[in-house]
Amino acid sequence: EGLVHDPGARVHHCPDGTVPFAPGTEQFDLITAIGILEYITDRNAYVHKLTSILKPGGCLVLANTNGIRSLFVTMALCSRVLRFWLKDNAATMRNLATTGIWSGGHVDRARADWLYSADALDALATKLGLELVDYFDLYNLPGLDRDPRNRTPLGTALARRWGWNHVGVYRKVAGASHSRA
């Protein structure tokens, strides 16, 4: 479908992961990239480009699948092996084991720069002149996600480490110089 672009619009939709705005020419108060990082081969460059068109003080919301490190993926793989689905769904299981999502993200795994954890995404954001404003992590397991915004400190730490998906809200620090990752 491509870019839906109206220069006077308040919202721009870029469904294929492209960022069709030259750095410094468009300034946005809010940019979201939810469910997209898994499909971008050079995530560092992509997040850098998003940061370069974000206003100082503006917010960037990113979601990141934690991959094999998550409790959800570990349990899903064990369940499939126990059901003897390995033979029938070997490609799906390989995708799940290496990327944390069923489709594998459809990127070249040899060239991809995976951000497999909440810490990795936060570190990239910090390197690019962003500060963490808020976050939450989801297990994608109904019994563990009853009230994700009211976890104990231990529950929050465990979700950050073992959660399936990390959502971070980052603010561009005014006047911060950022290096390309």
Side-chain angles (χ1 to χ4, degrees):
E1 202 167 285
L3 172 69
V4 177
H5 180 68
D6 172 2
R10 293 175 43 96
V11 175
H12 300 274
H13 180 230
C14 308
D16 57 1
T18 60
V19 182
F21 307 102
T25 60
E26 298 282 346
Q27 299 293 307
F28 295 93
D29 294 312
L30 174 66
I31 299 173
T32 62
I34 307 294
I36 189 80
L37 290 179
E38 295 84 0
Y39 302 93
I40 304 294
T41 300
D42 191 347
R43 294 177 186 192
N44 294 336
Y46 180 74
V47 174
H48 179 266
K49 190 162 188 182
L50 294 178
T51 302
S52 74
I53 60 173
L54 188 64
K55 281 183 182 178
C59 287
L60 177 59
V61 180
L62 300 171
N64 182 56
T65 299
N66 290 334
I68 190 65
R69 297 176 181 174
S70 76
L71 186 58
F72 165 73
V73 171
T74 301
M75 290 178 68
L77 287 171
C78 289
S79 170
R80 291 190 181 280
V81 168
L82 291 174
R83 292 184 200 171
F84 302 106
W85 286 4
L86 183 60
K87 180 181 176 191
D88 296 332
N89 293 313
T92 298
M93 293 205 31
R94 189 178 105 225
N95 287 337
L96 184 61
T98 58
T99 66
I101 55 177
W102 305 111
S103 67
H106 304 289
V107 299
D108 180 357
R109 287 181 193 82
R111 295 185 318 118
D113 57 340
W114 300 109
L115 299 171
Y116 272 130
S117 68
D119 290 336
L121 187 60
D122 292 349
L124 172 62
T126 299
K127 184 176 181 177
L128 294 174
L130 302 169
E131 64 182 357
L132 181 64
V133 175
D134 200 1
Y135 69 89
F136 72 86
D137 300 280
L138 299 171
Y139 284 107
N140 197 29
L141 296 168
L144 292 175
D145 272 337
R146 289 188 184 136
D147 194 2
R149 295 302 288 179
N150 290 309
R151 291 186 176 125
T152 65
L154 176 60
T156 299
L158 291 173
R160 186 167 172 81
R161 173 64 180 95
W162 294 101
W164 179 63
N165 199 280
H166 171 69
V167 179
V169 179
Y170 307 93
R171 179 178 294 122
K172 187 172 185 178
V173 178
S177 61
H178 58 276
S179 61
R180 188 176 187 289

